[in-house]
Amino acid sequence: MNPSDTKKELILKTARELLAKNGFAKTTLDDIAQALGMKKSSLYYYYSNKEALLEDVMNRERDNFCLLIEDALKSKDSTINKIINYEKAKFEYVAETIKLHEVSTSVLLEMKSKMFEQIQIIHKKEIEMLTKVLTVGIKNKEIRKCDTHRIAELILTLSEALRHREFYFASFSVNKKIDFTKAVDDMTFAIKLIFEGLKV
């Protein structure tokens, strides 16, 4: 990695932390430059504006998230356990991001609205990966023939709904930390119910 790449990595890491902590609207290039101990003009060598920097941060987050869930689905475990582990990995990723960067619910929701395009890309990739895992499950005679795409969409919708439930309840309390323990338990239960119906 050359010095320019190393500096860019540091800029992305710092920007991610500030954006997570303060939100997009309240984070300026001056804030990022100050946190890095560099002049704002030096940031322009790497990024022409805050939007370009945010896009790079979001691309990096998307890539990291997709690698994490790909790894969770690559195990040699049964189809149901692959999907349960994949869901646990997703919930852990979001929980860890909140914990490490002290993301408030309102900041997370603000960032999510800015990330709509990225979310669509991730959604499409997740559907593809889940469909593939379910198709392999059918080939291995673990589950009966079914509409794998529709099952994948259902799993994704349930997962998203359970995360939103926790964000929703947390938004009513200033001190409430988001805890996904119940959401993970509920998601595991839902997956088991789905697979009960798919038994060969």
Side-chain angles (χ1 to χ4, degrees):
M1 192 179 279
N2 66 47
S4 178
D5 289 339
T6 305
K7 190 69 172 177
K8 196 168 183 179
E9 286 295 322
L10 187 57
I11 291 168
L12 285 172
K13 181 179 180 292
T14 305
R16 180 184 188 271
E17 289 169 358
L18 289 173
L19 287 164
K21 194 172 185 182
N22 305 318
F24 180 76
K26 292 181 182 174
T27 303
T28 65
L29 287 179
D30 283 321
D31 296 330
I32 296 165
Q34 188 176 358
L36 287 161
M38 64 192 287
K39 292 181 181 174
K40 182 180 170 182
S41 57
S42 301
L43 271 181
Y44 287 119
Y45 173 77
Y46 300 95
Y47 296 100
S48 57
N49 54 45
K50 188 170 74 167
E51 286 74 19
L53 177 54
L54 176 66
E55 186 177 350
D56 222 0
V57 169
M58 289 189 299
N59 287 340
R60 184 65 50 89
E61 285 299 300
R62 181 197 68 208
D63 293 345
N64 288 342
F65 180 75
C66 287
L67 279 173
L68 176 97
I69 58 178
E70 274 176 20
D71 285 347
L73 287 171
K74 278 182 186 171
S75 73
K76 296 186 191 279
D77 217 333
S78 66
T79 303
I80 187 170
N81 285 335
K82 279 183 190 176
I83 293 174
I84 288 170
N85 290 336
Y86 144 83
E87 281 300 332
K88 285 180 179 175
K90 284 200 310 185
F91 279 101
E92 282 170 20
Y93 180 87
V94 175
E96 204 51 39
T97 301
I98 293 166
K99 192 168 109 189
L100 286 174
H101 304 286
E102 298 173 356
V103 183
S104 72
T105 306
S106 60
V107 167
L108 195 64
L109 292 173
E110 177 203 353
M111 291 303 292
K112 193 164 184 176
S113 69
K114 303 275 184 205
M115 293 176 68
F116 184 67
E117 186 181 318
Q118 299 291 343
I119 290 164
Q120 286 182 311
I121 293 167
I122 291 169
H123 183 87
K124 186 179 175 189
K125 188 163 181 65
E126 283 191 82
I127 293 290
E128 287 170 6
M129 288 189 294
L130 281 170
T131 301
K132 187 177 174 183
V133 168
L134 290 163
T135 302
V136 170
I138 292 168
K139 278 185 188 174
N140 292 341
K141 300 192 185 314
E142 290 180 65
I143 57 175
R144 63 182 172 82
K145 284 187 181 179
C146 60
D147 184 341
T148 54
H149 189 269
R150 194 165 180 194
I151 299 288
E153 284 186 329
L154 175 63
I155 290 168
L156 205 56
T157 300
L158 288 169
S159 180
E160 191 72 15
L162 288 168
R163 277 195 300 283
H164 279 290
R165 180 187 69 188
E166 298 309 317
F167 294 141
Y168 176 76
F169 286 129
S171 70
F172 287 102
S173 174
V174 177
N175 299 320
K176 184 175 189 257
K177 298 280 182 192
I178 295 177
D179 181 4
F180 288 128
T181 307
K182 180 166 175 20
V184 171
D185 285 346
D186 289 347
M187 192 65 215
T188 301
F189 180 68
I191 291 167
K192 286 177 179 176
L193 280 179
I194 291 167
F195 274 78
E196 188 64 33
L198 293 174
K199 270 186 181 174
V200 178

